[in-house]
Amino acid sequence: MSIGQTEFKPMGMKIVYPWVDLENELVEARIELDGNIKVKVITDLKTGEQKQKGNWDDILCLSPTMNEDTYLKMCKDWAILFIENGISNPKQYFEGLRANEKKSNQIEKEDKR
């Protein structure tokens, strides 16, 4: 039997949704690595098309279980959520989720006392 350690650290990758056009059902996703935009994806829910600009190489090497199609599906799934729920400001939406999570954690801590 061997005993080891696993170190988890941030990869520096994030997906940002800078704009949503509710009327035309368009959503832009930017896949960033260490603050640099590597890939832009525009999802058009009216046509079902996704236009991409950029290079996937640096993103794909981060996780062997993820491929380009996986990231594109993720972008499309979030686009559907934003459009169907009338969310025009994803940043504000995610900030609200984080604030609610913090409140829930505080309530749990207080309940345990």
Side-chain angles (χ1 to χ4, degrees), residues 9-16 30-40 55-63 71:
K9 59 183 178 179
M11 295 186 300
M13 194 272 297
K14 66 180 177 177
I15 302 175
V16 178
R30 293 180 185 166
I31 303 173
E32 299 179 359
L33 181 61
D34 297 323
N36 298 307
I37 299 169
K38 295 297 182 177
V39 179
K40 287 184 184 181
N55 187 313
W56 289 95
D57 293 345
D58 291 339
I59 300 299
L60 296 178
C61 70
L62 294 174
S63 176
Y71 284 103

